[in-house]
Amino acid sequence: MLIVERLEGEFVVLEGEAGHFNIERGKIRGKIKEGDIVTPLNDGTYTADKAATEKRRCEILRLQDGLFDS
């Protein structure tokens, strides 16, 4: 899983299991924002995975709610 950590000018900083790395914004298909999950494609580009991003956001919200329920 690759997560958009931040946008820096013409680059996107991605975080994955192997650490952080930069790619050119032009290699991303579609609109992205910080926290989005992207998937690499065979042609060297990446695409936003909206379903995986939404699932991750829901899980984070569930975990946050659990922190404040006690």
Side-chain angles (χ1 to χ4, degrees), residues 21-54:
F21 62 96
N22 299 335
I23 61 167
E24 296 174 13
R25 268 194 197 214
K27 293 193 175 209
I28 301 277
R29 293 184 183 178
K31 293 184 178 186
I32 58 162
K33 60 183 179 286
E34 293 175 357
D36 283 353
I37 295 175
V38 295
T39 303
L41 302 175
N42 291 334
D43 64 0
T45 63
Y46 298 77
T47 187
D49 186 336
K50 299 298 182 188
T53 298
E54 184 60 27

Side-chain angles (χ1 to χ4, degrees), residues 1-4 14-17 19 21 36-40 46:
M1 173 174 23
L2 297 171
I3 300 168
V4 176
L14 297 178
E15 178 183 358
E17 291 179 14
F21 62 96
D36 283 353
I37 295 175
V38 295
T39 303
Y46 298 77

